[in-house]
Amino acid sequence: MNHFDTPANCKQEMKADQNFNFYMTDLENWQPMKKVAEVFPQFTQQQLKRLFWQRKKHPGLSTCYRQVGKRGYVCLPLFGLWLAGQLPEQRS
């Protein structure tokens, strides 16, 4: 039995999933991709554009991004969690 199988860790994972739902359902968190470079100045607009074009190659990145018509939107809190390696898809 590893440390990931403990009941405390299962409760933490369920709580984390609820937090992800909170982030995803708050429309203020979803910003046009053009504004993401303003919030994360360490990335250029071109870097972000390329990163999200290749989102299928990076586990969890698709969770942070939605395409609506021709516009792309990024959930900023989830993108921050993705950068930190904290999304469930990154842990498996």
Side-chain angles (χ1 to χ4, degrees), residues 30-90:
W30 291 94
Q31 296 296 317
M33 199 166 75
K34 291 182 179 184
K35 290 193 177 185
V36 177
E38 295 171 13
V39 177
F40 294 98
Q42 64 268 41
F43 295 107
T44 66
Q45 184 67 33
Q46 261 325 92
Q47 287 174 320
L48 291 167
K49 192 174 183 180
R50 182 172 173 85
L51 179 67
F52 284 106
W53 275 347
Q54 298 179 350
R55 64 188 173 274
K56 304 258 187 224
K57 295 181 182 179
H58 304 284
L61 192 57
S62 292
T63 304
C64 310
Y65 183 82
R66 295 290 181 268
Q67 186 80 30
V68 180
K70 292 183 179 182
R71 286 191 142 180
Y73 292 88
V74 179
C75 183
L76 297 179
L78 292 182
F79 183 56
L81 289 169
W82 179 81
L83 288 171
Q86 297 299 311
L87 291 179
E89 296 94 331
Q90 293 174 295

